[in-house]
Amino acid sequence: MADTRNADLTFGATDYLVYMAAVNTTAPTGFTDPATPWQMLGWVTTEGGLFKVEEESKDIDAAGSLEPIRTLMTKSTKSLQVTFLEGLNPLVRSLYDNVPVLSLKPDTVSGIAAYDFPDKPNDLRYAFVFDTMDGGKRMRLYMPNGKVVERGDEQPQTEDVMPVQMTFRFYKGTTGAAVKRSIDYGDVDVSGFFPSGG
């Protein structure tokens, strides 16, 4: 077997960008910066994003067998946690406070935005794009239907900026899967990983 190890296939993200648009907005093409209606959510911490796939299964046991005779997949959830640094970014605030972004528009006279937190959580859903890059190598996660399901503690402080941590969960869109990954290998030759004619 050929040795296909290649240090250029390591990936150390030099930037991490998050975009949002209306739920089920079509994925941007290629790896260019997403155009309107996509909007960027600003700076994030150097940790970038923590993507998780959690799966649950149930074993079916039967008389006459010491091992399960079948395993049923009962759940598969996909989520991503990001800590944003722009605590006053209207898009970030609207997601964290679970209010429509128009709630953050300042009054034309006072320049102040004031709004009530919902007593019953809103089911506000959006499409999201998470872009990472390492030189010419890029990865993109596109989620047509997602929402914030967990929020970190809010702590304004004097020694650092106020981080805004959120966990997003993703669901199937109207025409596609909950998550689509795109990879641009840059100039790295990966042909050795695929059998000829495959």
Side-chain angles (χ1 to χ4, degrees):
M1 176 168 281
D3 184 349
T4 57
R5 290 178 292 181
N6 185 339
D8 289 334
L9 289 175
T10 60
F11 194 85
T14 57
D15 206 351
Y16 194 88
L17 306 171
V18 183
Y19 302 87
M20 67 183 272
V23 66
N24 291 309
T25 298
T26 305
T29 56
F31 276 92
T32 58
D33 290 338
T36 304
W38 293 97
Q39 295 179 282
M40 186 189 292
L41 275 71
W43 292 106
V44 302
T45 58
T46 55
E47 288 86 8
L50 178 63
F51 181 64
K52 292 182 184 180
V53 177
E54 297 179 34
E55 296 178 340
E56 294 179 14
S57 61
K58 178 180 179 181
D59 289 337
I60 306 299
D61 297 315
S65 176
L66 297 177
E67 297 177 358
I69 60 166
R70 185 174 177 194
T71 299
L72 300 175
M73 292 301 297
T74 59
K75 188 176 184 182
S76 178
T77 59
K78 293 152 186 77
S79 62
L80 201 149
Q81 184 182 79
V82 180
T83 303
F84 297 92
L85 293 173
E86 296 180 23
L88 293 182
N89 182 311
L91 299 175
V92 172
R93 275 268 61 96
S94 72
L95 290 170
Y96 186 86
D97 293 342
N98 198 23
V99 296
V101 72
L102 285 177
S103 304
L104 279 289
K105 186 174 181 179
D107 179 78
T108 55
V109 176
S110 68
I112 296 171
Y115 52 92
D116 295 327
F117 280 57
D119 292 327
K120 179 181 175 186
N122 290 321
D123 187 23
L124 300 177
R125 295 179 182 234
Y126 302 93
F128 294 95
V129 167
F130 299 84
D131 277 351
T132 54
M133 52 209 66
D134 178 5
K137 300 174 286 188
R138 297 177 182 267
M139 283 197 291
R140 171 171 283 170
L141 294 173
Y142 161 71
M143 292 81 159
N145 180 7
K147 69 177 185 176
V148 175
V149 293
E150 292 179 28
R151 294 159 176 85
D153 297 335
E154 185 174 303
Q155 184 180 7
Q157 52 190 305
T158 59
E159 295 184 357
D160 202 350
V161 299
M162 177 182 66
V164 181
Q165 185 181 81
M166 293 180 275
T167 301
F168 303 84
R169 183 166 294 151
F170 308 105
Y171 308 88
K172 289 183 80 167
T174 54
T175 60
V179 179
K180 178 180 181 179
R181 184 188 301 271
S182 301
I183 299 173
D184 181 348
Y185 295 104
D187 295 330
V188 183
D189 179 11
V190 294
S191 60
F193 291 91
F194 307 99
S196 58

